[in-house]
Amino acid sequence: TPVNQPFVRCLPEAAGVSSAKIADFLCEIAEDETLNMHSILILKDGKMIAEAEFADQSTSVWKYTFSACKSITSLAIGFLYDEGILLPEEKLTEIFGETVENLLTMTTGASFNEIMAVTDTDWVKGYFSGAFVPGNFFYNSLNTYILSAIVKKKTELSLSEYLKPRLFDPLGIDNYYWEKCPMGIDKGGWGLYMLPADMAKLGQLVMQ
């Protein structure tokens, strides 16, 4: 369906940007055979000044956001903090000494990762059954999945259900789908499909 609450569109020059410069940039991207570009949206001062589609791609269909959705999961944790439901210093379990902040900053040192999750049904149990060497940055998408699991445990709502009235509805984002783990928890660190223009809304929100 059409984008709800679309960005106001204007010519690049009306926003102080050269159309020729944008055209050169898009042509350079299109000619680069090392890229598999789907689409590009360019915003300036909250207005859409350019939109481009490559090959047979379309901005009117969902795109897989990959790890960009980790930032959306982090926004949910921010909402929990603002509502007094969760503190960054809060311990995840009585046994496991790491905190929510470690998950947000990828410093848990958790050994359980995406590859292990493929062969395990209960990802939360698998995560806490693994080894931890906390302190240093180590990129692991299961850290963000655990943040999604925290949202579920604290609110009894899935991550996407919790964000709907707080983030998605106010921004007019209604075309999205978040994959779930075998236990029915939104994956959090990946698995989100969303329209490019709606992803741009989130970028504009954070900028403001």
Side-chain angles (χ1 to χ4, degrees):
T1 59
V3 173
N4 186 11
Q5 299 178 19
F7 284 100
V8 173
R9 293 169 180 265
C10 72
L11 294 174
E13 279 72 17
V17 179
S18 165
S19 293
K21 291 289 187 182
I22 292 177
D24 289 344
F25 167 69
L26 295 176
C27 288
E28 182 179 347
I29 294 294
E31 293 167 1
D32 189 337
E33 296 181 355
T34 66
L35 299 176
N36 179 27
M37 188 61 64
H38 287 200
S39 60
I40 292 178
L41 307 179
I42 301 177
L43 305 182
K44 179 68 162 58
D45 300 327
K47 295 181 179 179
M48 185 86 70
I49 64 171
E51 178 177 355
E53 300 167 343
F54 297 81
D56 59 351
Q57 297 294 328
S58 172
T59 57
S60 64
V61 298
W62 285 341
K63 301 298 178 187
Y64 191 65
T65 63
F66 294 94
S67 286
C69 67
K70 287 180 170 65
S71 296
I72 301 173
T73 303
S74 296
L75 289 175
I77 297 301
F79 283 123
L80 287 177
Y81 174 79
D82 284 344
E83 294 169 9
I85 299 173
L86 181 71
L87 293 174
E89 302 82 18
E90 192 167 335
K91 294 193 183 300
L92 305 180
T93 68
E94 292 295 325
I95 300 172
F96 180 55
E98 295 315 301
T99 65
V100 174
E101 184 177 2
N102 290 114
L103 294 173
L104 288 165
T105 57
M106 295 283 180
T107 55
T108 62
S111 62
F112 190 79
N113 54 39
E114 299 97 311
I115 296 175
M116 295 176 178
V118 172
T119 60
D120 205 314
T121 300
D122 190 336
W123 296 359
V124 174
K125 181 180 178 180
Y127 182 88
F128 287 111
S129 297
F132 294 89
V133 185
N136 295 324
F137 177 85
F138 180 73
Y139 193 85
N140 184 343
S141 292
L142 266 295
N143 287 325
T144 314
Y145 165 78
I146 294 296
L147 292 173
S148 177
I150 288 173
V151 172
K152 179 82 170 179
K153 186 172 182 61
K154 287 283 188 177
T155 68
E156 298 185 354
L157 299 170
S158 70
L159 179 61
S160 51
E161 289 172 337
Y162 177 73
L163 286 174
K164 187 176 188 299
R166 294 166 175 81
L167 184 69
F168 294 150
D169 283 351
L171 294 178
I173 298 175
D174 49 23
N175 290 309
Y176 60 90
Y177 172 73
W178 217 319
E179 295 175 351
K180 298 181 183 297
C181 76
M183 302 297 287
I185 299 171
D186 289 0
K187 291 182 178 178
W190 70 100
L192 176 64
Y193 294 81
M194 182 176 286
L195 294 174
D198 287 336
M199 197 67 186
K201 292 176 187 178
L202 295 168
Q204 185 68 34
L205 170 71
V206 173
M207 282 182 63
Q208 294 178 196

